[in-house]
Amino acid sequence: MNYTMIYDKIMNPLDDSLVLDQLLEAYAEGSSFYSALTKRFSKDKNLLYSKSARDELHASIFNRWKKSLLSITPEQYNKAIRDKLYKKNIFKLVSFLEKVPDVKTEKEATDILNKTYQDKELSEAMEEYRWDSIGEFSGWTHISERYINGKQTRTPKIEHRLYINTDLMDVHKMSKIFMDKCIAKKLPYYFKIGECDRRDDNIVIYSDTKLLPHYLGVLKEIEDEYPDLVKRCGRPPILSGVIRNWIGYGSEPIQLSGQESFNGIRAKSIEKAIDEELLSWYRNHKDTTMTIQGQTISLQEYFVRQVVKTKIKRMLDYRRKHPNNNYIKYTEQEIQSKDFAKRMANMVRAQMPSIFSNYMYDKKQTVKIEVPIKKDVNATIYSSDITTEFKKFISIIKANDPGFVKRVKKRIELDAVKRGIDPNKYCFDIENADLLRKQDGEPIKKKTSTTDKKEEKKGPRQPINDTPRYHRPAGTPTSYKPMTDAEIRESQRKLAECPPVQETGKKKVSPTNDTPKYHRPAGTPTFYKPMTDEEIRESQRKLAEVPMVKVKTKKVTQ
């Protein structure tokens, strides 16, 4: 089975112009960027679901869970207790379930699971060992073979994700078909479903590397046997790699598993890249003039006016929506006056340098601008009001600067490498792509980004050797060649033998210190000052940071 083919057949999401347009559109909306990324294709999704399909799925899982717990022998339970998988209260739950008939609906199942029992030990056991105890408060329904079969199997290591964007009317049916096929093929399964949300990933299947093609095979069978079900599926999450037009692939962030998600890491990276390019563009073009209603103004002045216009409109809308609210101390006439708009514009203009200096580095820090309306009554503009309006510039920039999108993409690729993301296949982490090659027995290839390839055309990069005989101080750029032991010793000797600087017209005598903290190589003249430990370390650092080859780079106007 060719695992590398999975990687090769998936298109890089960043090579799709629709994806880049959607990323910028999500950013310009000004709300949670992560949330916007997960709902690009499901904003109008119907929230109705099939009650019969939901009953069938939940009843099937409950009955299988009950059957699994009843099929475990006392010896197996005792061993599980010794292994601390269970406590002795498991026997109380098993005795209870022996009297429980199979259920037919979700309500019957949840009534049993959620009931408060007079027997405290039974209540605790039910809470601890119920099949849905995993991810109980996550907002998702987690369906794990391990928790359904009484912890008799282990959950495979999560290294990859497969996303399905089903219609909510089909989410339970699709889930049951997938689960039943895995059981029939004796494949372990762990996936989660969103039962009532407008997301592009309402089914997320978790996989290790070995099982990944097997799950793709199961989904291929579903496509062949239930074509109408698949036709109703929407496009998977925007940053996922698309397989067969309806399945999304995403790498599990192995090093941050449980702390960060596939979309979460990429949302932070992309938002940062757009922030940087947008701010750079604005600084370079803020004095550019434009004509509006016959008046020529700078781009910065246009932006200030938009902030004021939006803020006053929101205040007016709030005033009109709550005409009898005594806590609103201003009138429509007061906030529509030219003097108020002018005061607000002046104060916004004065605070913009401070707001933009924090924009890239500390978004949690809020700047408040208090604009007087009348005595003891102010209108408050927050830095978020300004930055939200600032993000709307994206549409203007796209229309007037064809290179903007390309520069954003380049920034995303550069930041991707720092976060362990494959810049050539953005849906993959570098580590996870290597797992596929390793499974095929292929040598792990060093992947180069688009930027790396351009540098290679200019000239060969310096080789890097991290074996113990080389020493590279922390923070040294990896494009510089570190020193060998012999080079370090030679640098120490040369520096120790270097004569002192001669001052014109003055006789200068270098002091000599032979205390142990100084090191003087044998044969060094005593009138030369040897190096201290700190000076030796500094000389090593400086020599290690001297570039072996200087490459002239072309400055790119941003």
Side-chain angles (χ1 to χ4, degrees), residues 103-262:
V103 301
K104 295 181 180 179
T105 66
E106 180 207 9
K107 185 178 185 307
E108 291 176 11
T110 53
D111 284 349
I112 294 170
L113 293 170
N114 296 336
K115 183 178 178 180
T116 301
Y117 296 93
Q118 291 184 345
D119 188 325
K120 184 179 178 180
E121 193 175 10
L122 173 60
S123 289
E124 290 177 352
M126 183 70 78
E127 189 65 27
E128 287 183 51
Y129 310 128
R130 53 193 290 164
W131 72 266
D132 59 353
S133 61
I134 179 174
E136 190 173 4
F137 302 107
S138 66
W140 297 79
T141 300
H142 289 249
I143 301 174
S144 167
E145 180 197 40
R146 174 173 169 77
Y147 284 78
I148 293 172
N149 73 2
K151 299 183 181 179
Q152 294 302 293
T153 57
R154 292 186 176 276
T155 301
K157 185 177 181 180
I158 301 173
E159 296 167 332
H160 310 275
R161 299 176 174 210
L162 295 175
Y163 296 103
I164 302 174
N165 182 9
T166 66
D167 188 278
L168 280 178
M169 288 294 289
D170 299 325
V171 66
H172 300 97
K173 182 177 181 179
M174 178 74 81
S175 298
K176 187 174 185 304
I177 293 172
F178 177 78
M179 182 180 70
D180 289 344
K181 282 187 172 293
C182 286
I183 293 170
K185 295 176 182 294
K186 297 184 179 179
L187 294 173
Y189 56 89
Y190 174 32
F191 60 99
K192 66 181 180 182
I193 62 175
E195 300 189 70
C196 54
D197 197 4
R198 291 189 175 97
R199 290 180 60 111
D200 300 335
D201 57 351
N202 54 2
I203 297 181
V204 182
I205 300 167
Y206 297 103
S207 174
D208 66 5
T209 301
K210 187 176 180 179
L211 290 169
L212 184 59
H214 295 280
Y215 292 142
L216 288 172
V218 170
L219 295 176
K220 175 64 168 61
E221 285 186 13
I222 294 175
E223 181 180 355
D224 293 339
E225 297 171 16
Y226 303 90
D228 292 339
L229 198 64
V230 170
K231 284 179 182 177
R232 290 194 292 272
C233 288
R235 175 168 174 150
I238 189 166
L239 295 176
S240 64
V242 181
I243 302 171
R244 304 187 65 80
N245 297 320
W246 67 285
I247 303 166
Y249 168 85
S251 287
E252 176 70 17
I254 298 174
Q255 303 301 328
L256 297 172
S257 186
Q259 304 172 46
E260 284 279 14
S261 68
F262 168 83

Side-chain angles (χ1 to χ4, degrees), residues 223-459:
E223 181 180 355
D224 293 339
E225 297 171 16
Y226 303 90
D228 292 339
L229 198 64
V230 170
K231 284 179 182 177
R232 290 194 292 272
C233 288
R235 175 168 174 150
I238 189 166
L239 295 176
S240 64
V242 181
I243 302 171
R244 304 187 65 80
N245 297 320
W246 67 285
I247 303 166
Y249 168 85
S251 287
E252 176 70 17
I254 298 174
Q255 303 301 328
L256 297 172
S257 186
Q259 304 172 46
E260 284 279 14
S261 68
F262 168 83
N263 283 310
I265 290 176
R266 284 158 177 77
K268 290 178 182 178
S269 176
I270 294 170
E271 187 171 24
K272 177 177 178 288
I274 302 176
D275 281 344
E276 290 174 347
E277 188 56 39
L278 178 59
L279 191 57
S280 173
W281 189 94
Y282 176 76
R283 284 171 173 166
N284 290 332
H285 295 83
K286 61 185 176 68
D287 295 325
T288 302
T289 58
M290 56 196 307
T291 302
I292 298 178
Q293 296 178 349
Q295 185 181 6
T296 301
I297 60 174
S298 68
L299 188 67
Q300 176 173 276
E301 186 59 28
Y302 169 77
F303 172 64
V304 171
R305 293 184 183 186
Q306 287 299 109
V307 172
V308 172
K309 179 181 177 181
T310 300
K311 183 64 179 180
I312 291 177
K313 182 179 184 303
R314 288 174 59 190
M315 293 175 70
L316 278 172
D317 290 344
Y318 191 75
R319 170 79 270 184
R320 290 165 180 169
K321 188 176 180 180
H322 306 281
N324 300 318
N325 189 331
N326 294 326
Y327 290 98
I328 301 175
K329 302 297 184 181
Y330 58 82
T331 65
E332 291 186 25
Q333 292 74 19
E334 288 170 335
I335 61 175
Q336 285 181 305
S337 71
K338 291 183 178 180
D339 287 342
F340 175 66
K342 187 175 180 180
R343 281 197 302 274
M344 184 181 290
N346 289 337
M347 296 183 75
V348 168
R349 195 180 296 109
Q351 287 293 327
M352 279 176 61
S354 172
I355 291 172
F356 284 137
S357 66
N358 293 328
Y359 180 69
M360 285 300 305
Y361 306 107
D362 188 7
K363 292 187 179 182
K364 293 182 180 179
Q365 181 177 334
T366 300
V367 177
K368 292 198 299 185
I369 304 174
E370 299 290 350
V371 184
I373 300 176
K374 56 186 176 182
K375 186 177 180 179
D376 298 328
V377 179
N378 296 331
T380 303
I381 298 180
Y382 296 92
S383 52
S384 59
D385 294 326
I386 296 175
T387 54
T388 297
E389 197 66 31
F390 182 55
K391 291 180 178 182
K392 296 177 183 178
F393 262 68
I394 289 287
S395 59
I396 296 176
I397 297 171
K398 281 179 61 182
N400 292 277
D401 185 352
F404 180 77
V405 177
K406 292 181 180 179
R407 294 196 301 274
V408 168
K409 181 185 177 185
K410 183 178 178 181
R411 285 187 186 269
I412 293 172
E413 290 173 340
L414 290 173
D415 191 70
V417 178
K418 300 175 186 177
R419 299 173 188 264
I421 300 171
D422 186 339
N424 302 305
K425 288 280 176 76
Y426 198 70
C427 53
F428 281 90
D429 285 357
I430 296 171
E431 181 178 5
N432 304 62
D434 285 344
L435 288 174
L436 294 175
R437 299 185 188 97
K438 186 177 179 181
Q439 193 69 33
D440 279 336
E442 293 186 8
I444 304 303
K445 300 177 182 178
K446 181 183 176 182
K447 289 290 176 180
T448 56
S449 67
T450 306
T451 305
D452 291 332
K453 291 176 181 177
K454 289 180 179 178
E455 290 181 1
E456 286 172 3
K457 291 180 181 178
K458 297 178 181 179

Side-chain angles (χ1 to χ4, degrees), residues 537-550:
R537 287 192 294 270
E538 181 66 9
S539 73
Q540 295 173 13
R541 184 188 68 77
K542 288 184 177 180
L543 283 172
E545 290 182 355
V546 174
M548 301 302 293
V549 177
K550 291 185 178 180

Side-chain angles (χ1 to χ4, degrees), residues 513-528:
N513 191 334
D514 289 327
T515 56
K517 70 172 185 158
Y518 279 85
H519 302 270
R520 186 172 67 236
T524 305
T526 56
F527 58 88
Y528 293 155

Side-chain angles (χ1 to χ4, degrees), residues 3-68:
Y3 287 80
T4 311
M5 192 179 294
I6 297 173
Y7 176 92
D8 293 339
K9 286 189 173 183
I10 293 177
M11 176 184 174
N12 182 9
L14 296 183
D15 289 341
D16 186 342
S17 59
L18 170 65
V19 170
L20 293 172
D21 286 343
Q22 285 290 324
L23 293 178
L24 293 175
E25 185 179 307
Y27 177 89
E29 289 173 5
S31 56
S32 165
F33 187 60
Y34 166 81
S35 179
L37 288 185
T38 62
K39 301 177 180 180
R40 299 317 298 165
F41 309 113
S42 303
K43 295 177 182 178
D44 301 321
K45 184 179 284 187
N46 194 330
L47 290 180
L48 297 176
Y49 62 85
S50 169
K51 185 179 183 304
S52 60
R54 184 170 181 165
D55 283 341
E56 189 176 357
L57 174 65
H58 281 267
S60 172
I61 293 174
F62 179 90
N63 294 333
R64 183 174 293 278
W65 168 72
K66 182 190 73 168
K67 182 179 178 181
S68 296

